[in-house]
Amino acid sequence: MSDSWVNSAERIGSDLLLDLAGPGSRRAVLIRALRDAVREGRLAPGTRLPPYRSLAADLGLARNTVADAYAELVAEGWLTARQGSGTRVAPRTAPLTPVRVPKKAPEGPATPAHDLHQGKPDAGSFPRAAWLAASRRALNAAPNDAFGPGDPQGRIELRRALTDYLARSRGVRTTPGRIVICSGFAHALRLLFAGGVLRGPLAVESYGLGFHRSILEAAAVRTVPLALDGDGARVDELAGLPGVRSVLLTPAHQFPTGGPLHPERRSAVADWARGRGGLVLEDDYDGEFRYDREPVGAVQGLDPDRVLYLGSVSKSLSPALRLGWMVLPEHLVGPALRAKGEREAWASVPDQLTLADLIDSGHYDRHVRRMRQRYRGRRDQLVAALATHAPHVTPTGIAAGLHAVLRLPPGTEQSTVKAAAWQGLGLDGLADFRHPAATMPATDGLVVGYASPPDRAFTEALAALCRALPPG
């Protein structure tokens, strides 16, 4: 017999697949199928089974066959039968088949007690009330066409709001017509390179996110690393790369080592792009969060026709929103839209309208200012803890952003990452972000995110971090 469905809603409450294949009599096969359904949780304790006459009709079996199967399973304890209550799956106080996990040598806590990975904002500080109010206003004011097929360029309301916001906060020079909404920086990379808007090879910084390199590799784009020093990427090396016409940079706060691109290098890379007919891709991943002086404006402002500005709300609001933007030279808008497709398939239109309202109403600015103060306080706690308990460890890249790099003695990074795991910390070593083809000298360090742990646990997390650091 083949698999059969029992699907009478008034009898069993939901569809149930019984496997009636296999050797044995019909009674034996039915008993085995019902046992399996109970054991695997498809028939939960207390579930009422159909009367044996009904089940026999559904399965094409003799009534006595089903009645005998029920009686056998009642006798074995799989089912219960009471007058007026029908036949039900017997209650259980524990799973019938406990999951057995193979034993292996422990490598530290499976789930970190304290998450100090980079790139994570404080999820608990998402402005829920302001977002909800903005959503109500935006939906009430939205025209009917907002609820039809989405425009791949993004809602005009958001593109107008971003035009004003990016101009005053980041020095970006654009118009709504040069902005294309996407779902974040990674999506932008896929559209630009996998979508055929741009081609490799692409110069990148020697330290960056491996995830981004993987996206480029999947699009068959060869990446060429540029060395870094205290002034940021060595953009002078671009002149010696004749086949390279594009470069990806994090000028406001080099990821992950920290520090802005020196003003002379900002001008130099814009000049290089003009002279070679090339392009600069500017990843402004956390440009809003600068603590010790005024924010560094976008390189895009130096030459809007040669610099693609890429941003998102992943750090300022939440990565769960999946909202980002590309500010493009005018000649790339058409190709980017063709790569994206005829309809918006990524960025929710209601979310676009809500973000536009949040920006226009001033609530977005207020939220960013509040989070800037909060993250600066976290940064200061980290610096103070290191000064007290590990003064031999130097934090760098702390003038901005949501993470710091702790410089370590040579040869100690791997052991320190393991020690941190044993202290219940989740964090990354600096080597995890190094380009595999980088030739600049490697530096040992930890990349420590300080934004996401809750207040009640942050002091304990810092204490555990200091315990994991190598002695001075």
Side-chain angles (χ1 to χ4, degrees), residues 34-409:
L34 288 170
R35 280 199 202 105
D36 290 344
V38 174
R39 183 184 294 116
E40 295 166 7
R42 292 183 288 122
L43 281 177
T47 301
R48 183 173 181 174
L49 272 65
Y52 70 87
R53 295 180 182 84
S54 300
L55 185 59
D58 281 344
L59 299 180
L61 299 175
R63 294 180 182 179
N64 287 344
T65 299
V66 178
D68 288 347
Y70 277 12
E72 177 68 23
L73 292 171
V74 169
E76 291 178 359
W78 295 91
L79 305 178
T80 62
R82 293 183 177 85
Q83 188 69 29
S85 181
T87 304
R88 296 179 181 272
V89 177
R92 294 282 174 173
T93 58
L96 293 172
T97 54
V99 177
R100 292 180 174 86
V101 179
K103 293 183 178 180
K104 64 177 182 178
E107 299 179 357
T111 301
H114 305 290
D115 188 355
L116 297 181
H117 287 105
Q118 60 75 34
K120 297 183 177 181
D122 178 13
S125 294
F126 182 81
R128 302 182 191 210
W131 184 265
L132 181 60
S135 179
R136 287 198 188 100
R137 291 191 299 267
L139 292 178
N140 284 334
N144 291 337
D145 68 356
F147 303 99
D151 180 350
Q153 188 161 3
R155 288 297 302 183
I156 185 61
E157 296 90 340
L158 179 56
R159 290 187 283 121
R160 285 172 178 159
L162 286 171
T163 297
D164 295 338
Y165 173 76
L166 294 175
R168 59 182 166 78
S169 68
R170 306 297 300 123
V172 171
R173 296 158 54 195
T174 188
T175 64
R178 294 172 69 160
I179 296 177
V180 175
I181 302 301
C182 57
S183 68
F185 180 80
H187 184 214
L189 275 188
R190 290 190 179 97
L191 287 172
L192 292 172
F193 289 95
V197 180
L198 303 178
R199 297 180 179 179
L202 174 69
V204 298
E205 296 159 331
S206 282
Y207 284 83
L209 271 179
F211 172 57
H212 294 163
R213 289 195 296 270
S214 297
I215 292 173
L216 294 165
E217 289 171 5
V221 174
R222 181 171 66 91
T223 55
V224 182
L226 300 176
L228 299 166
D229 60 22
D231 291 329
R234 290 285 307 273
V235 297
D236 57 303
E237 295 180 355
L238 290 168
L241 304 174
V244 172
R245 297 183 59 193
S246 300
V247 58
L248 171 61
L249 300 173
T250 52
H253 185 223
Q254 200 288 318
F255 180 86
T257 62
L261 188 64
H262 191 277
E264 291 182 3
R265 295 186 183 181
R266 292 159 63 90
S267 299
V269 75
D271 291 342
W272 168 84
R274 280 192 295 271
R276 184 164 291 188
L279 295 166
V280 179
L281 282 72
E282 180 173 13
D283 178 5
D284 196 28
Y285 68 100
D286 64 1
E288 300 95 339
F289 298 116
R290 176 158 290 276
Y291 310 126
D292 298 329
R293 58 187 176 89
E294 289 299 312
V296 178
V299 173
Q300 190 268 1
L302 296 176
D303 194 338
D305 292 327
R306 290 295 167 189
V307 182
L308 289 73
Y309 177 88
L310 309 173
S312 76
V313 297
S314 293
K315 304 296 186 296
S316 59
L317 285 173
S318 168
L321 287 177
R322 309 313 309 144
L323 280 176
W325 45 86
M326 301 182 286
V327 180
L328 301 170
E330 189 171 358
H331 70 282
L332 292 181
V333 173
L337 293 179
R338 287 192 292 273
K340 201 174 182 194
E342 294 183 3
R343 296 184 179 183
E344 173 57 64
W346 307 97
S348 161
V349 168
D351 284 347
Q352 292 184 53
L353 294 172
T354 300
L355 179 58
D357 184 278
L358 201 71
I359 294 171
D360 289 338
S361 66
H363 285 288
Y364 183 77
D365 288 78
R366 288 192 284 276
H367 172 73
V368 168
R369 286 196 296 271
R370 182 171 64 253
M371 298 312 297
R372 188 183 298 130
Q373 294 173 352
R374 176 175 175 76
Y375 294 148
R376 178 174 181 170
R378 286 294 186 89
R379 188 277 312 261
D380 292 346
Q381 282 183 264
L382 170 62
V383 172
L386 292 172
T388 301
H389 302 290
H392 57 288
V393 174
T394 302
T396 64
I398 59 175
L402 311 183
H403 72 271
V405 173
L406 309 189
R407 303 291 182 175
L408 299 176

